[in-house]
Amino acid sequence: MHDLAKEIIKLVGGKENINSLTHCATRLRFRLVDTKKANGTAIKNLDGVLTVVESGGQYQVVIGEKVAEVYDAIMNELGYLNPLDESQKKKSKNIFGAFLDLASGVFNPTLGVLAAGGIIRGILALVVALGLLDTASGTYVILNATGYAVFYFFPIFLGYSAAKKFKIDPLLGMAIGAALVYPDMVNGTSSDALYQLFTGSLLQSDVQMEFLGIPVILMDYTSTVIPIIAATYFASKLHGWLNKILPTLVKKVFLPCFVLVITVPLALIVIGPISTWACSAVGNAVSFLFEINGVITSALLGFFWQILVMFGLHWGLLPVAMNNLAVNGYDYIFPVASIAAYATGGAVLAVFFLSKKPETKELSLTSFFPVLFSAITEPAIYGVTIPLKKPFMAANIATALGGIILGLFHTKTYFMASDSFFGAPSYIEPDGTFGSGFWGLIIAWIVVMVAAFILTCIFGIKEDEVSVKEQGKKKEKEKTAALQRIQVFAPVKGKVIPLQEIHDEVFASGSMGEGIAILPEDNKICSPVKGTVSFLFPTAHAIGIQSEDGAEILIHIGIDSAELQNIFTACTSVGQEVEQGDVLITFDLDKLKKECKEAVVPVIVTNSKSYLDILKEQQNCVNQDELMFTLVR
């Protein structure tokens, strides 16, 4: 994974081009400073990468089930990430992209524990429905608390992830969420009303208490999603404003206190009720679409589901589905996602039997099992069905057929669980019975798998379309079969000496990479190649250039020169594209000779191990712009 991580970092534009990185079940989700610097074609052809998707302001590298390992390897390489400046933030997001980014950033960290709670609740519902466990028993009470707690106290979990997303202390988000579900607040919703507001309107509400004389419309915020996100967003803005205006001594002690004492009352008085009414409207609208014609709505959503997944747009429906569960107690969207996964499973299983190529058979089989047990489809769709095209279409048609069945049986889920068969108990009716919706799901699973299998067999696959990715790699190899030569020119005029003669053990030993050293006779450092400035030390005594061919070149002016002042002047900046010969740094040569340990300029190829050889020119002196050495690979 270490080598793959290094390649991905290089091909997305280097460390300096990465603003942030997260991951979900199958994808690395980069937020890049400039997506144009990423080489998507080369990334797709890496072993271990399924494809690349740009969506919602994110640069997504689809890895599959080993994504967590690759993520850890990349983070070990990066060590840090650069924050976006405000201009870059505005440039990189539109409203829809920002919404997708928010949804994935806030909900993704909670999905694992939600799935765990859902599976526990599902198994518990199943054993109760089968009469194997009494709901009055201590066993049931403990297991129910284990599975249900994450849903009941979900605002606390979301408060944490939302606060991290909005760049404030996560514990502040948790505190706000805890206040919303505090027992006195929850129990207050069933207390006698003092009076009513908005009487006779759709917003007619009881007022159970007052805060400083202001009416408070108490809502049950347990299991809700939008109120806590809205409240935490407000808290982040308030935190930023207070952080600017409060004296340092005051904000060290009282800043969290001020944020909480302002945010929580406003959340209960204004933010919570308004967002709850809005959520109810959205939930009722979605339910209306499914209930007025569930057959058509489910079929259409089913046909397009994997297309949404392909571009990462399914994240936009997750908050809607979660909101449906909180508002209505059930949801129609999760069932469609579940059958779409098994339709893809049926298609890749057909490819396994149809293909005559061993590598395609292996890829089909290995991508089938994540679908079967986890309903994870990205390895299957990016590795098999999309490259072959016809199986992808077969799976979409099969999912639409399954959507018709879901609509006919009015299938809905009553709590979030796995989209795989492990989540089947979440479709058991709240009264513990196996209703028509449960059996509709089982039938739909079978139908979509069989239909996708049969349709793929009917449509067929073309062997010349199989292993598209492998063909792409083969072409790349053919293009580079001949040795590639990269010329590196002298960055400064002077006398050439071997690295081994420098009075610095690190450079002289070659541990930084191979290269040469120049005793400068001029005060200008110019770019030795055409490329991009990859780093520039604040003192401007050292600079890194990544050539357009991938060579990583370090130019270090003087030995032990990092602490010298008023000697170096940068003429470029990190991320700037430069031509060979462009001036990068000017310096005071006389001061350098007087004040540093040794006035020498090492020129190092830090990734020299990536090359077969470095052919150095045989000369004692060089002029700036004169060929210095050639990299061969």
Side-chain angles (χ1 to χ4, degrees), residues 194-195 207-218 269:
L194 301 177
Y195 50 89
V207 175
Q208 288 90 357
M209 65 174 63
E210 294 181 341
F211 178 79
L212 300 178
I214 303 171
V216 179
I217 302 172
L218 290 180
I269 297 169

Side-chain angles (χ1 to χ4, degrees), residues 365-387:
L365 196 60
T366 54
S367 62
F368 173 73
F369 288 106
V371 172
L372 182 63
F373 294 108
S374 305
I376 294 175
T377 59
E378 277 90 343
I381 65 174
Y382 290 118
V384 181
T385 62
I386 290 176

